Amino acid sequence: MANALKGKSTVFMTFIAPNSDAAETLRLFFENHFEFMKEKSHKEGALKLINYYISESPEWLNDGPYTAGPAPFFEGKFPGKTGRIVFVLHEIYENEDGLHHHYIESKDFAPEFDNMLSTYNIEFKEFNQMKVIQSLWD
């Protein structure tokens, strides 16, 4: 059904690991986060977690601001790699209360999280309390 997720609350986080040690640290972090999410997330009701995923990819030379001209992806090819590794964490909640609840449950991990980012020089960007404005298929 089109727009089944319209109005749901999301958080979208990007992590860029500068090297393999930082990438492995993030993988271990995400394994622990996965277990935390399984234990703490609500499957029903107002605090319901609808969707959760983490993805990983090399950082491509063409990643970043759009530049005019044909990119290799438009030609069915892969551009070169920068050597860095990109991770994306995405969560969708029934409403903003579910996302607020998740942060409250997670607050004890914040110092460890911040330490990991600074120790391994991981670039981090968070887009929080976003609302889905369009979705295809639920």
Side-chain angles (χ1 to χ4, degrees):
M1 170 170 78
N3 286 321
L5 298 176
K6 191 171 184 176
K8 306 301 183 198
S9 294
T10 72
V11 61
F12 190 89
M13 299 177 187
T14 60
F15 303 76
I16 301 176
N19 55 46
S20 60
D21 288 341
E24 187 57 30
T25 297
L26 279 168
R27 289 183 193 107
L28 292 171
F29 168 78
F30 291 133
E31 284 180 28
N32 291 330
H33 188 259
F34 181 75
E35 294 304 318
F36 173 81
M37 293 297 288
K38 284 195 311 187
E39 180 182 328
K40 297 291 188 174
S41 296
H42 291 253
K43 295 179 183 177
E44 301 294 331
L47 303 179
K48 180 181 176 181
L49 172 68
I50 296 171
N51 191 286
Y52 165 85
Y53 70 84
I54 296 170
S55 54
E56 173 184 348
S57 168
E59 181 184 51
W60 306 103
L61 289 171
N62 287 72
D63 287 348
Y66 178 78
T67 56
F73 285 120
F74 293 131
E75 298 170 0
K77 300 175 186 173
F78 286 90
K81 301 173 185 176
T82 68
R84 302 186 325 163
I85 300 96
V86 178
F87 296 83
V88 170
L89 183 154
H90 186 227
E91 299 172 10
I92 303 174
Y93 290 87
E94 186 66 32
N95 58 47
E96 64 187 25
D97 291 340
L99 186 48
H100 283 304
H101 180 264
H102 175 61
Y103 276 99
I104 292 166
E105 291 272 315
S106 304
K107 69 181 173 187
D108 292 340
F109 301 109
E112 179 183 336
F113 180 79
D114 291 342
N115 185 53
M116 175 189 69
L117 296 177
S118 64
T119 298
Y120 290 92
N121 199 28
I122 297 167
E123 291 180 35
F124 173 70
K125 185 75 175 175
E126 180 176 31
F127 304 93
N128 205 340
Q129 289 293 1
M130 300 179 77
K131 297 293 182 197
V132 176
I133 61 172
Q134 292 180 351
S135 69
L136 284 177
W137 312 295
D138 51 338

